[in-house]
């Protein structure tokens, strides 16, 4: 018999540094839209994930509040959605341990994010960095979440989440965990670096010029776009014409995601023109979309105690959902409930 699960959206963002335009377009800006869709929405600042690489404790506290502020600035309403920080709901870490016994070591070594982050000296990376996807599966499955909106770089982790759910269900002979659907949609599922069209825009890139931060002011945004790496050719009339031009394709994709059009709707307006015309238009658009969000974020950051209060209420609501699911998981696995 096919078990039906009630629709539930879960997503998380790491407080491991400032947020970028990539986080915004690939993930954040989509979250508010799921509110009122009939699905319950649960959004998490994943601080336990962040510490898989070294975080300065004071900066981690600041970044955790800042990510919470970004969720709200992007329209996540804590009266509708459950908004909290991961470490306050102990079920995440507990279920991650249970999943460490279900997942296989080989699955973890195959993760491209692990290979990228661990680099050449992988023996010296934290054990948490290797086990990270098991915690991510726990984040999602502790709520029986049915769908997860993320950027393209998280696809492999979501496949692993499905593998863990399927193996658990198979090993214990019941359809207890849902096989979660990844929601990776739109023209900005993978926003690339402004300096190198083959690299993802990332908060951990050493070059600040490679990314637009959600805290950048209008002048900085315009300057970074003006200096973005491109080529000398004029723009074509269709997106197909950009097949071999990754940097140009990236800027057009960013424009499309910001304006809500498709690249093929935009390009005829710029056909035959160079980046001297396109870049100022993109900068103006980026500033008009990001400035109100930046302002709202800094308004929220003006009252950190209020952010903490909101996160605390969210953690209470999250615990109410996750606790019975994790209790049931332990029961299925054969743990005695002694009190
Ligand atoms: P992270 O900052 O790694 O916790 O990522 C938070 C969310 O932003 C995830 O859903 C990522 O897939 C998404 N994301 C991060 N960087 C990018 C990017 N360059 N393009 C699109 N989405 C991204
Ligand atoms: N691993 C994700 C990232 O780096 C963050 C994350 C942790 C997440 N747990 C999650 C995303 C659960 C979606 C669902 O971007």
């Amino acid at each position: 018999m096919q078990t039906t699960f009630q629709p539930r959206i879960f997503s998380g963002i790491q407080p491991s540094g400032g947020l970028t335009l990539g986080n915004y377009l690939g993930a954040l800006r989509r979250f508010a839209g799921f509110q009122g869709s009939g699905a319950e929405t649960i959004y998490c600042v994943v601080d336990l994930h962040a510490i898989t690489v070294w975080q300065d404790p004071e900066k981690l506290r600041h970044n955790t509040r800042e990510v919470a502020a970004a969720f709200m600035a992007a329209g996540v309403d804590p009266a509708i959605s459950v908004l909290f920080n991961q470490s306050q709901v102990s079920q995440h870490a507990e279920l991650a341990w249970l999943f460490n016994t279900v997942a296989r070591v080989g699955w973890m070594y195959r993760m491209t994010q692990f290979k990228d982050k661990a680099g050449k000296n992988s023996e010296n990376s934290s054990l948490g960095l290797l086990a990270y996807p098991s915690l991510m599966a726990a984040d999602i499955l502790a709520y029986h979440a049915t769908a997860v909106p993320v950027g393209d770089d998280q696809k492999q982790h979501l496949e692993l989440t499905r593998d863990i759910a399927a193996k658990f269900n198979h090993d214990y002979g019941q359809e207890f965990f849902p096989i979660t659907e990844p929601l990776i949609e739109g023209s900005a599922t993978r926003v690339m670096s402004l300096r190198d069209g083959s690299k993802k825009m990332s908060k951990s890139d050493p070059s600040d010029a490679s990314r637009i931060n959600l805290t950048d002011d209008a002048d900085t945004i315009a300057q970074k776009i003006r200096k973005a790496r491109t080529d000398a050719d004029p723009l074509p009339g269709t997106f197909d014409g950009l097949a071999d031009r990754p940097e140009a394709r990236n800027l057009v994709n960013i424009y499309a995601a910001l304006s809500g059009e498709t690249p093929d709707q935009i390009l005829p307006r710029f056909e035959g023109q160079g980046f001297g015309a396109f870049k100022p238009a993109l900068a103006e658009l980026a500033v008009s979309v990001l400035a109100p969000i930046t302002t709202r974020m800094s308004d929220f950051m003006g009252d950190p105690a209020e952010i903490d209060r909101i996160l605390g209420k969210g953690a209470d609501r999250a615990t109410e959902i996750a606790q019975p699911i994790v209790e049931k998981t332990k029961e299925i696995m054969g743990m005695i409930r002694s009190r």
Side-chain angles (χ1 to χ4, degrees):
M1 197 188 76
Q2 185 71 34
T3 316
T4 50
F5 294 92
Q6 76 179 84
R8 226 176 238 155
I9 305 277
F10 183 99
S11 198
I13 296 189
Q14 297 193 57
S16 49
L19 291 164
T20 72
L21 181 66
N23 294 128
Y24 179 69
L25 294 177
L28 260 179
R29 68 165 181 157
R30 301 166 57 208
F31 294 159
F34 296 107
Q35 297 176 144
S37 68
E40 193 165 11
T41 43
I42 306 175
Y43 298 120
C44 186
V45 187
V46 289
D47 47 8
L48 296 175
H49 276 95
I51 56 168
T52 56
V53 295
W54 168 254
Q55 302 293 328
D56 175 77
E58 205 46 59
K59 284 195 191 130
L60 182 61
R61 272 184 280 274
H62 172 86
N63 291 338
T64 300
R65 294 189 182 109
E66 195 169 80
V67 173
F71 272 115
M72 293 190 283
V76 169
D77 178 352
I80 303 171
S81 296
V82 178
L83 177 63
F84 67 107
N85 59 317
Q86 188 184 28
S87 61
Q88 298 309 292
V89 180
S90 57
Q91 280 74 19
H92 291 244
E94 190 175 1
L95 187 59
W97 177 261
L98 301 177
F99 284 168
N100 280 345
T101 69
V102 176
R104 309 286 94 182
V105 177
W107 300 0
M108 300 294 157
Y109 280 123
R110 271 200 293 279
M111 294 294 109
T112 55
Q113 183 175 300
F114 173 71
K115 291 185 211 164
D116 289 348
K117 286 199 177 178
K120 288 195 183 71
N121 197 5
S122 67
E123 289 289 308
N124 198 35
S125 65
S126 77
L127 183 54
L129 190 67
L130 179 64
Y132 170 123
S134 182
L135 177 60
M136 179 159 163
D139 298 339
I140 296 165
L141 296 173
Y143 301 91
H144 277 180
T146 53
V148 175
V150 279
D152 182 68
D153 60 331
Q154 296 304 313
K155 195 170 170 189
Q156 202 184 24
H157 290 158
L158 289 180
E159 279 160 10
L160 196 140
T161 298
R162 293 161 64 96
D163 290 344
I164 290 178
K167 186 170 189 312
F168 182 98
N169 291 348
H170 173 267
D171 290 355
Y172 292 97
Q174 44 187 301
E175 296 299 303
F176 183 62
F177 288 114
I179 306 301
T180 306
E181 214 49 61
L183 302 175
I184 303 171
E185 292 151 353
S187 55
T189 56
R190 193 170 180 82
V191 176
M192 308 308 279
S193 155
L194 298 179
R195 308 301 304 166
D196 178 349
S198 67
K199 268 185 17 198
K200 185 185 78 154
M201 182 182 287
S202 159
K203 48 191 162 199
S204 57
D205 193 309
S207 160
D208 192 58
S210 71
R211 63 180 161 264
I212 292 171
N213 304 300
L214 287 193
T215 50
D216 284 344
D217 61 25
D219 287 346
T220 310
I221 293 175
Q223 194 189 36
K224 285 179 177 174
I225 291 176
R226 202 167 53 240
K227 289 196 175 152
R229 187 168 152 192
T230 39
D231 51 44
D233 293 343
L235 284 161
T238 64
F239 200 52
D240 286 345
L242 290 177
D244 308 324
R245 299 167 63 185
E247 280 88 10
R249 209 166 56 227
N250 185 40
L251 293 188
V252 171
N253 269 332
I254 292 175
Y255 191 110
L258 288 168
S259 73
E261 298 164 284
T262 63
D264 281 321
Q265 284 172 314
I266 294 156
L267 281 168
R269 302 206 291 275
F270 292 98
E271 185 171 6
Q273 300 182 58
F275 285 94
F278 184 78
K279 282 179 167 178
L282 176 59
E284 194 184 327
L285 176 63
V287 168
S288 74
V289 173
L290 296 181
I293 294 157
T294 309
T295 306
R296 280 201 296 275
M297 258 173 84
S298 69
D299 288 349
F300 283 118
M301 285 303 275
D303 192 350
E306 174 64 6
I307 295 181
D308 294 1
R309 197 191 60 80
I310 290 169
L311 291 175
K313 276 184 103 169
D316 287 344
R317 289 170 65 198
T319 303
E320 273 173 39
I321 305 170
Q323 194 167 28
I325 291 175
V326 175
E327 283 306 322
K328 182 72 189 166
T329 310
K330 289 196 285 188
E331 187 192 314
I332 291 171
M333 294 177 91
M335 312 283 152
I336 289 175
R337 189 168 184 172
S338 55
R339 59 190 165 81

